């Protein structure tokens, strides 16, 4: 009896030890499977990095455009309006006829019909695509549309003796205010153009999402395109939906955290956009508050005439 009891104890102990080893290995496998990065997690990280890079590059593009558009609006030296408003008008007309000749103008013999007729007047030139084409002409057309929308012909510059007079200094003060408002409006539009400028190399997952959506696969893309592809991947991506069905609970929690982070990123971008909107509304309010007095309008009316600079 003692031998049987001892043998049973040994058998039970051995069974417990073996079962413990099996349960330990099983637990290790479960922990491993729940915490190993899934392909979707790796794709989301790559796509998020592409979006962040594109956002930074679009900011650079917007500032680069402003460095050109602001001096033009201020009638700075070497700009058409520095010589006179008539010269600024002629420059605007020459750009339109040279790049965006319309059918009516071509029939009248003013120019030769081009491949982008009247693109400098159509909102679709700026907003009609998530990313402009690889050719610089598409980006140029978007900028030219903004120019016609915001300030097709800048007022002329005040020159020499004219700006030294008291009346000229009064005009110059209101001209600086005008320049500030135009710069604000133009910067808001520059941000829209820059967001659609190709500034980043798309990831393989993003190009695959392009194919799934029936879009032409491209090597490069804009911040707007990269962000939309990522949103659509979560909304309609079959690969992500398939992986989601197979994910263990911990992996699904990680996916939820990533979605929360992406929503926080979108909220942050909306906050930055709201600052621009607030600035625009403030400028409109200030303009309306001063309009009844007529000073800004009266002071700037004289800028419609040609200057007569003194030769020294």
């Amino acid at each position: 009896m003692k031998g049987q009891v001892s043998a049973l104890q040994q058998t039970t102990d051995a069974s417990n030890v073996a079962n413990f080893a099996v349960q330990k290995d099983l637990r290790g496998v479960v922990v491993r499977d729940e915490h190993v990065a899934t392909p979707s997690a790796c794709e989301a990280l790559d796509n998020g990095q592409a979006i962040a890079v594109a956002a930074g590059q679009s900011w650079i593009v917007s500032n680069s455009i402003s460095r050109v558009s602001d001096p033009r609006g201020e009638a700075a030296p070497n700009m058409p309006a520095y010589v006179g408003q008539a010269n600024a008008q002629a420059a605007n007309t020459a750009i339109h006829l040279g790049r965006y000749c319309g059918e009516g103008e071509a029939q009248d013999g003013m120019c030769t019909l081009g491949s982008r007729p009247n693109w400098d007047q159509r909102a679709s030139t700026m907003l009609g695509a998530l990313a402009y084409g690889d050719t610089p002409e598409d980006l140029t057309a978007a900028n030219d549309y903004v120019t016609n929308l915001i300030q097709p012909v800048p007022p002329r510059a005040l020159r020499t003796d004219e700006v030294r007079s008291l009346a000229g200094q009064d005009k110059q003060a209101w001209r600086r205010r005008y320049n500030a408002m135009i710069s604000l409006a133009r910067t808001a539009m520059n941000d829209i153009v820059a967001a659609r400028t190709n500034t980043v190399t798309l990831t393989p997952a993003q190009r695959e999402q392009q194919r799934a959506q029936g879009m032409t696969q491209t090597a490069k893309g804009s911040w707007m395109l990269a962000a939309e592809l990522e949103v659509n991947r979560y909304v309609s991506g079959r690969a992500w939906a398939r992986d989601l069905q197979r994910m263990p609970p911990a992996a699904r929690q990680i996916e939820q955290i990533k979605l929360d982070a992406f929503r926080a990123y979108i909220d942050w971008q909306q906050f930055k956009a709201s600052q621009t909107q607030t600035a625009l509304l403030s400028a409109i309010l200030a303009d309306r508050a001063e309009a009844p007095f007529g000073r800004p309008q009266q002071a700037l009316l004289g800028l419609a005439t040609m200057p007569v600079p003194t030769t020294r």
Side-chain angles (χ1 to χ4, degrees):
M1 292 293 293
K2 290 182 179 179
Q4 289 177 350
V5 171
S6 177
L8 181 61
Q9 289 176 340
Q10 294 177 11
T11 301
T12 302
D13 291 342
S15 176
N16 289 339
V17 170
N19 186 58
F20 172 78
V22 171
Q23 293 297 326
K24 181 180 178 182
D25 292 342
L26 179 61
R27 180 58 180 168
V29 171
V30 171
V31 172
R32 181 201 64 190
D33 290 345
E34 288 194 352
H35 293 84
V36 168
T38 64
S40 294
C42 296
E43 289 178 356
L45 178 60
D46 291 341
N47 294 349
Q49 290 177 338
I51 293 172
V53 171
Q57 292 298 313
S58 67
W59 180 84
I60 295 174
V61 171
S62 179
N63 279 272
S64 298
I65 297 174
S66 294
R67 283 196 294 268
V68 176
S69 61
D70 285 346
R72 173 188 175 275
E74 296 163 4
N78 300 320
M79 293 295 169
Y82 182 73
V83 178
Q85 188 161 319
N87 193 54
Q89 177 64 62
N92 179 269
T93 301
I95 289 176
H96 171 75
L97 296 179
R99 297 175 182 172
Y100 314 105
C101 181
E103 293 183 3
E105 294 159 332
Q107 291 177 1
D108 291 337
M110 298 178 63
C111 52
T112 301
L113 183 64
S115 59
R116 294 174 172 81
N118 292 332
W119 276 32
D120 59 339
Q121 306 166 54
R122 298 175 180 177
S124 59
T125 302
M126 182 182 68
L127 300 174
L130 292 171
Y132 302 131
D134 293 331
T135 59
E137 288 77 10
D138 291 339
L139 174 58
T140 299
N143 281 324
D144 289 339
Y145 168 78
V146 175
T147 296
N148 281 333
L149 181 68
I150 300 298
Q151 190 189 46
V153 181
R156 67 173 178 85
L158 291 168
R159 304 285 298 279
T160 60
D161 289 344
E162 185 181 26
V163 76
R164 295 188 181 97
S165 66
L166 292 178
Q169 292 175 17
D170 182 66
K171 291 180 181 179
Q172 196 76 325
W174 292 109
R175 173 62 187 272
R176 286 192 290 270
R177 176 183 180 274
Y178 167 81
N179 291 342
M181 296 182 69
I182 289 295
S183 179
L184 175 60
R186 180 68 198 238
T187 297
M189 302 301 291
N190 290 346
D191 288 344
I192 296 175
V193 172
R196 289 169 166 78
T197 304
N198 289 338
T199 54
V200 68
T201 301
L202 297 179
T203 66
Q206 289 171 332
R207 292 195 293 271
E208 176 59 26
Q209 184 63 32
Q210 281 183 309
R211 186 199 62 77
Q213 293 180 210
M215 304 170 62
T216 301
Q217 290 181 308
T218 57
K220 289 187 173 295
S222 66
W223 176 46
M224 183 74 69
L225 176 61
E228 174 149 314
L229 289 174
E230 184 66 1
V231 171
N232 290 344
R233 187 176 74 89
Y234 285 120
V235 172
S236 62
R238 292 186 177 182
W240 183 75
R242 181 180 62 249
D243 292 343
L244 192 64
Q245 296 294 328
R246 300 172 180 175
M247 289 176 188
R252 291 184 183 178
Q253 291 176 357
I254 293 173
E255 288 295 317
Q256 182 61 51
I257 294 172
K258 289 191 302 182
L259 286 172
D260 291 341
F262 190 67
R263 280 192 287 266
Y265 177 80
I266 297 299
D267 290 342
W268 171 244
Q269 299 302 328
Q270 290 177 341
F271 169 74
K272 292 196 295 185
S274 69
Q275 287 187 313
T276 302
Q277 293 173 353
T278 301
L280 292 168
L281 291 174
S282 299
I284 293 173
L285 178 61
D287 183 68
R288 290 189 176 182
E290 293 175 338
F293 298 96
R295 283 198 67 194
Q297 292 78 9
Q298 292 175 1
L300 292 175
L301 284 177
L303 295 179
T305 60
M306 287 290 291
V308 184
T310 300
T311 303
R312 295 185 181 277

